[in-house]
Amino acid sequence: MTRLLLSRRRFLTGAAVSASTVPLAGCFDSLGQRGGTARGVMESAQWLTYRVQRWMLGSDSLAQEYAESEIRQPQRPNGTTNPQDADYRRLVAEDFSGYRLSVSGMVAQPGTFSLDEIRAMPGRTQITRHDCVEGWSCIAKWTGVPLASVLDAVGVAPAARFVVFDCYDTMENGFTGPVKYYESIDMEDARHPQTILAYGCNDQPLSVANGAPLRVRVERQLGYKMAKYVRAITVTDTLAGFGEGGGGYWEDRGYEWFAGI
Amino acid sequence: MARNGTELVYRQRLPTRVTHWAWAVCLFFLLLSGLQIFMARPDLYIGQQSGFAFDNAVLSIGAFMDGATMKARTVLFGHSFDTTGWLGAVWEDGDLQPKTFPSWLTIPGYRDLATGRVVHFFFAWGLVFALALWLVASLANGHARELVLSRGDWRGLPRDVLDHLRLRLSHGRRYRSLQKLSYALILFLVLPLMILTGLTMSPGFNAFMPWTLDLFGGRQTARTLHFLLMLVLVGFTAVHLAMVLLAGPFNELRSMITGWYRADPESER
């Protein structure tokens, strides 16, 4: 009898434990509601993640660079791969001869740069690994001008904190018109030696699929930070007023602004 | 006090109990948010990068159309399996959807990489803090030593394995060989490796500590190992829960909540 009772108790406990672990479908979906309490608690850890990353990456520590032999495939294009925006199509049609990168904001002398002017500046070539937030990686050789050189050419105000990249590609059509891709990085990353505005990939001019004529490389962060189809650069001390204020298209949709992990 | 010669002993100290439940909660959320993150790229590779123009995948899960019907294929080390309905293409509201996992296996239940990452990193911090707290407390109060196998424990290991297989479970005051070994492996090896392989997927951490890339053989191998270690933890948890049920869930749960455990007489071992 004792045996029987014991085994029933065991069975009931077992059943309770099993039942509590099986279908939890949707139980934690409130975590996806941005602005909600549960989500807010989860997001509080982002501050810690950011501080630790900024501490680790405070120095000019470099992202690993690879040997030529590690380039085993073309760079995999992701996100927008062929913008249909009229102004961009015009640039493509004339092989970007009319392209002018505008640099403005908190700078001494706002200016514009043609692609030839950018290519004439001392360049940097690096073979690095592109890590997408989705989880895949691809190694490619990137050639471009250090962003620091462009910033020095226009003279950045001491109070400036961020560099914002405005892009040609439309991601979606919102109530107030097309929503274009944009991104931003802080001055430390902007002046990092491996942060370049790339115009070449794997010894070829940067293709439309990979962001022609210019795309950003921020090698110590994830792929979505590396804006393609860069139209203009704005130096600023606040990210408010750009997009929805999150500092980037994906950041406005719940992704971390500092994407080192 | 004594019942059939057994007696209540204070076996689990407060830091052990608190961190045990912290791990239980953290690992639960880490698993389900991790599977959400995996859904964004349901492939695992060996090496630094993901092969798109070459094949270095060891696992691929995906849906495809066979005429007008959706099917799912899981390819493991080149062997293809039809996993329609439970991996790659799953039933949702009566329809087959091209999704790696059913919604009850992920947080959130729907596809949401951003939220998966926010949840994953929150509980990753929880895991790290709990592990650090446990390590400091256990070194201070001597609990860590209880997990170290003595010469006698190693000799008794085969016997202990056999006893477990025959479900002859003892209720000693101290851990026996297999318990010591499994807890020590999880706490000193699997969980630290889980954290380290996770960090090795971070391009920022790679710049800070490039040697971890060499240690694991590349970012994509680290990602594959992270997934494998997850399977180890799931397996450990399944056996752990089964053992709790078989050894007497009331006594086992009491010891992990109040610290008090009803132990067999000392003479038995």
Side-chain angles (χ1 to χ4, degrees), chain A residues 26-260:
Chain A
C27 277
F28 304 105
D29 285 0
S30 65
L31 292 171
Q33 282 157 20
R34 300 184 62 213
T37 313
R39 177 58 172 254
V41 172
M42 297 288 118
E43 284 179 355
S44 63
Q46 287 183 344
W47 175 84
L48 181 60
T49 312
Y50 168 67
R51 290 316 314 174
V52 171
Q53 290 186 92
R54 250 287 149 251
W55 165 74
M56 288 196 308
L57 304 178
S59 70
D60 271 352
S61 62
L62 297 179
Q64 185 162 13
E65 296 195 13
Y66 294 87
E68 293 266 355
S69 58
E70 298 273 10
I71 306 171
R72 300 175 62 193
Q73 55 190 351
Q75 171 65 19
R76 178 184 172 83
N78 202 34
T80 309
T81 51
N82 195 12
Q84 294 305 309
D85 305 72
D87 48 355
Y88 185 77
R89 296 318 307 173
R90 272 197 298 279
L91 288 176
V92 172
E94 62 189 25
D95 201 20
F96 301 106
S97 61
Y99 174 79
R100 296 291 181 275
L101 171 71
S102 128
V103 187
S104 61
M106 296 175 69
V107 298
Q109 292 168 313
T112 59
F113 298 82
S114 73
L115 215 44
D116 283 340
E117 284 169 329
I118 288 168
R119 288 200 193 102
M121 296 169 82
R124 190 181 201 281
T125 294
Q126 58 207 28
I127 301 173
T128 51
R129 198 189 66 231
H130 181 96
D131 297 329
C132 179
V133 67
E134 293 165 1
W136 54 267
S137 311
C138 191
I139 293 174
K141 182 198 275 188
W142 300 95
T143 304
V145 61
L147 180 57
S149 311
V150 175
L151 294 177
D152 287 342
V154 293
V156 171
R161 294 177 59 201
F162 307 105
V163 173
V164 179
F165 306 98
D166 284 303
C167 306
Y168 281 103
D169 52 324
T170 296
M171 300 298 288
E172 59 188 83
N173 282 298
F175 291 117
T176 52
V179 177
K180 304 228 171 200
Y181 202 86
Y182 80 104
E183 257 303 339
S184 61
I185 54 177
D186 61 17
M187 276 300 159
E188 252 175 294
D189 269 321
R191 293 199 167 278
H192 185 264
Q194 286 173 319
T195 300
I196 60 173
L197 296 171
Y199 46 74
C201 179
N202 290 339
D203 298 319
Q204 300 289 320
L206 190 62
S207 66
V208 167
N210 277 318
L214 287 181
R215 92 170 291 174
V216 188
R217 299 296 310 168
V218 191
E219 304 291 0
R220 303 184 301 180
Q221 297 199 44
L222 296 173
Y224 66 85
K225 295 302 289 184
M226 310 200 218
K228 298 155 81 171
Y229 317 109
V230 176
R231 184 179 62 78
I233 290 176
T234 311
V235 179
T236 175
D237 61 351
T238 175
L239 296 174
F242 299 92
E244 291 170 32
Y249 176 81
W250 289 114
E251 287 85 334
D252 287 339
R253 280 147 192 83
Y255 287 84
E256 298 90 341
W257 175 74
F258 197 91

Side-chain angles (χ1 to χ4, degrees), chain B residues 163-180:
Chain B
D163 281 350
H164 274 90
L165 288 176
R166 292 176 184 145
L167 300 182
R168 272 194 219 145
L169 306 177
S170 66
H171 302 85
R173 291 151 181 272
R174 285 172 214 89
Y175 291 142
R176 287 180 60 187
S177 317
L178 196 55
Q179 264 182 308
K180 284 186 179 183

Side-chain angles (χ1 to χ4, degrees), chain B residues 31-72:
Chain B
L31 171 65
L32 271 64
S33 59
L35 293 177
Q36 167 73 245
I37 295 170
F38 178 78
M39 277 206 301
R41 187 86 214 165
D43 309 272
L44 295 174
Y45 312 86
I46 297 293
Q48 294 288 356
Q49 57 181 326
S50 315
F52 299 107
F54 58 96
D55 188 12
N56 63 342
V58 290
L59 175 72
S60 281
I61 303 173
F64 65 98
M65 294 305 288
D66 183 14
T69 51
M70 185 182 295
K71 287 192 172 173

